[in-house]
Structure formats: C-alpha cells, structure tokens
Amino acid sequence: MKATLYATEAGVVMLDETGNVIYSAKYAGDPYQKYRLAMAGIRVEEVDEAVKKAADSGFGELESNAPGSAALAESLGMVFIQVDNPELDKRIELMMKASLISSEEEARDLLREFALRVSEERIKAEAARLDLHAMQMVSAVDELDREINVLAARVREWYGLHFPELDDILQDPRLYVRLVSALGRRDNFTSERIVELGVPKSRATAVEEALKRTKGAEIRDEELALLQSLASDAYDLYQLRNRLSNKLEEVMSQIAPNVTSLVGAAIGARLLVRAGSLDNLAKMPASTIQVLGAEKALFRALKKGGRPPKHGVIFQHPSIHSAPKWQRGKIARAIAAKLAIAARIDRYSGVLDPALKEKLEKRIQEIKEKYAKPPEREGRRPERGERGARPRRGDRREMPRRWRH
C-alpha cells in the first residue's frame, strides 16, 4: 500500500491510495518557519509524526514533498518517493479537505502572509550583500573627496591672508589644515610643534624661516576661531575618508579578491557601482567592462558617428593613464579582458587566482615593448588649396563655368 504525505502552509496532510485523508495535523508554533524547514529538507515534528503513523498503518511506500522525511521513512521499512510540491489551488483544496482551515478566504489570507514574509526575507538578504555596502563606501569616498577639496582650498585661501608663505611650503592639504587647526596663529608655528604634527624637519625649518619675513596681516580672534573650526572639520573629513578607504579595501578583498588584485579596491568598487552589482559585472563581456563609465561618450559616438571611447572607469588604472596615447586602448582591452574573468571567478568561486595578475602584467609589458613607438600616419592631409583637399567650413566654393554670366 502507498500513502501520500504533503506538507502545506497550514499543516501536514496524509492521503491513502484513493485520495482520502487518513491523517492531518496543524503546525505547533510558527507555521511559516515550520513549512520553510520542511521544504528545505529539515525534519519537522509534525511530518515525523505523520511518517510514523503511515508505518504503523502498514503502508509500504510513502510519497512526500518533504525531503527531510526520507531518512525516517526508510528506517521504518518504507520505500520513500520524492514528489513535487502541489500547485497553489491543489494545496488550498488539501488544507480545506483536511479541515486545517475553514474556508478558501482563510487559506488565501494565510498564503498572502507567507508571500509577504518571503519578500521581507529576500529584501533583508539583498540589503545584507557586501557588494552593495562596497558600492556605498566608494560613493561616499568620492563625495568626501569633493567636499574636502573645497574646504581645504577655502582654508588655504583664508589663512593665506595671515600667513601667505605657508602655501608654497606645504603642498599637502591634509597637513595644511591640520597645522591651522592645531596651531592657529602663525606665531605658534615653531619647528618643534610642526614636527610633532607630522611635518618633515626640513619643511618645518622652512616654515620657521618664512615666518620671519612674512607679509601676512594680523587676524582677529573671532575670525581665527572660525577659521580653525573650518580647518578642524576638513581634517576630520580626511580622517573619515581614510577609515572608509581602509574598510573598502577590506570588504573588496572579501567579495572580489581577483578584481581588487587587478585594479585595486577603489576602481573595482566603482566598476560595481556602474554595473549595479557583482552579479551584473560577472555577466558583462570585456567590451562592456572596458567602457563602463563612458556611456555618454559611447552613445554620442554611436549617434553622431564619431570615434567611440577606448576606456571608462578603468582609465584611472596607472597602467592606462600613465601610458602613451597610442598604447592606452590596447592596455584597456587587456585589463578589461582579465577583469571579465576575475569578476566571474569572484562571483562563483571567490578564490584568489594570482596567475591572473601575472598574466595581465606580462601582457601589458608585451604591449609596451611591441608598440614602443607611435604608429606612422598613412599620409599627410592636403593643405587648403592643394589638389585633393576637402573644402572646409567657411571656404567659398568656385561656381561652375556654366553658371557664370
């Protein structure tokens, strides 16, 4: 004899060969969690109890949509057969037939609640993805860079009224705002205190010498307090940016070790921002990755027939932006090809492959050696007035003879 056991949203239902209900039981506790566990192959008390009832009733075969009941059924001497989960209408019919629910309306309310909880769990799981956090971090770093540049420039210009010579000596804006914030008036700029704040000894001596011949004006305490507050805010933003950058390196090394190894955490995270996620980046071909971030230029070229861009975000890679112009496109293609492979490895494996970086460095070196000199132009463009020259905008075209009077 064969029995069929179904785990439904409201409880378990067991049928005999003729389709009659021989056993049913509601879940004790949270029905949603019990149903999810049963569908995931984890043993549930109510399902186990139904399996024992089937064995005690002399059934030799058991069909069930709950895979977790297989081991128990076979240990009790029954043949277990896995079946698919019934359709929605079939499950509602089973729950009503077994008196687990009183009406179809109640069943649909229960299923609606289940669907809402499934959606909430998926949203939570999606929001917990580390690649989304990495994308937010790199966006925050880029925004902080813009804010820091504006504030540091304002502090430098304002304090230059009081101590203009400091601008030429200290080029590092982070050190500049730190000195202004900590020391205030130029009279406090002694070499000992400047060195304590991280300035090299040679620069500290130069600052002290410049102080003796400064052409800056005096500054009142009220203005100085505001200026120091502004410098302190700028320095705090520098510190925050450093913390974000360090955390970004850590997160990117976890979720995309191969992409990070090839182009660094910042460029890798910016590629994720453009792609939307690591999943999307892993699906992209190398040609798309190469121009990520240059979409406007690409579509403008497609629309107007100009030259398409050779690179997008990956232009920030040192091997591209430091290379001669005639090598950049080839190096960008090489990096994009390896990035496409790296993104797939990171998405589906997550294991760092050092050989990827070695092959990329070797390929870049080959490009630099093979194309060390700029390509020769095919021919010189004829000058205006020469035979074969195309008329340029603004040139007057000579009228044909037959039109002349």
Side-chain angles (χ1 to χ4, degrees), residues 75-184:
S75 68
L76 294 175
M78 291 186 291
V79 176
F80 181 82
I81 302 171
Q82 175 75 37
V83 296
D84 294 334
N85 203 28
E87 296 293 331
L88 179 63
D89 292 338
K90 175 67 173 177
R91 296 203 305 274
I92 293 176
E93 181 184 341
L94 285 171
M95 288 186 285
M96 293 179 63
K97 189 175 182 180
S99 299
L100 296 176
I101 54 174
S102 58
S103 64
E104 183 176 347
E105 183 180 355
E106 182 184 349
R108 296 198 178 277
D109 288 342
L110 178 64
L111 293 172
R112 188 181 301 110
E113 181 185 349
F114 272 45
L116 289 173
R117 293 187 64 175
V118 169
S119 301
E120 290 171 359
E121 289 188 356
R122 288 181 179 176
I123 291 172
K124 288 180 181 178
E126 187 73 11
R129 282 171 35 208
L130 283 178
D131 60 338
L132 298 182
H133 288 272
M135 291 158 57
Q136 294 297 328
M137 281 184 225
V138 76
S139 298
V141 167
D142 292 341
E143 289 166 3
L144 280 174
D145 283 339
R146 291 191 289 270
E147 295 293 332
I148 288 170
N149 289 337
V150 171
L151 287 179
R154 177 58 53 211
V155 170
R156 188 179 288 269
E157 186 174 347
W158 192 352
Y159 197 74
L161 301 175
H162 180 57
F163 191 6
E165 293 77 11
L166 185 63
D167 188 29
D168 296 328
I169 300 171
L170 281 184
Q171 301 299 327
D172 186 351
R174 184 185 64 84
L175 282 177
Y176 193 101
V177 297
R178 187 179 185 189
L179 290 181
V180 173
S181 171
L183 301 180

Side-chain angles (χ1 to χ4, degrees), residues 317-344:
H317 193 279
S319 297
I320 299 178
H321 70 68
S322 63
K325 288 185 178 180
W326 64 88
Q327 294 179 357
R328 290 175 182 172
K330 298 174 179 63
I331 295 174
R333 280 194 296 273
I335 293 176
K338 294 302 179 187
L339 278 173
I341 298 172
R344 291 174 176 86

Side-chain angles (χ1 to χ4, degrees), residues 303-325:
K303 182 179 180 181
K304 298 184 178 180
R307 289 184 177 181
K310 297 178 180 178
H311 32 61
V313 172
I314 60 174
F315 178 74
Q316 300 167 12
H317 193 279
S319 297
I320 299 178
H321 70 68
S322 63
K325 288 185 178 180

Side-chain angles (χ1 to χ4, degrees), residues 285-306:
S287 57
T288 302
I289 294 175
Q290 183 178 341
V291 295
L292 276 179
E295 291 84 3
K296 289 184 179 179
L298 176 62
F299 290 117
R300 185 168 59 246
L302 293 174
K303 182 179 180 181
K304 298 184 178 180

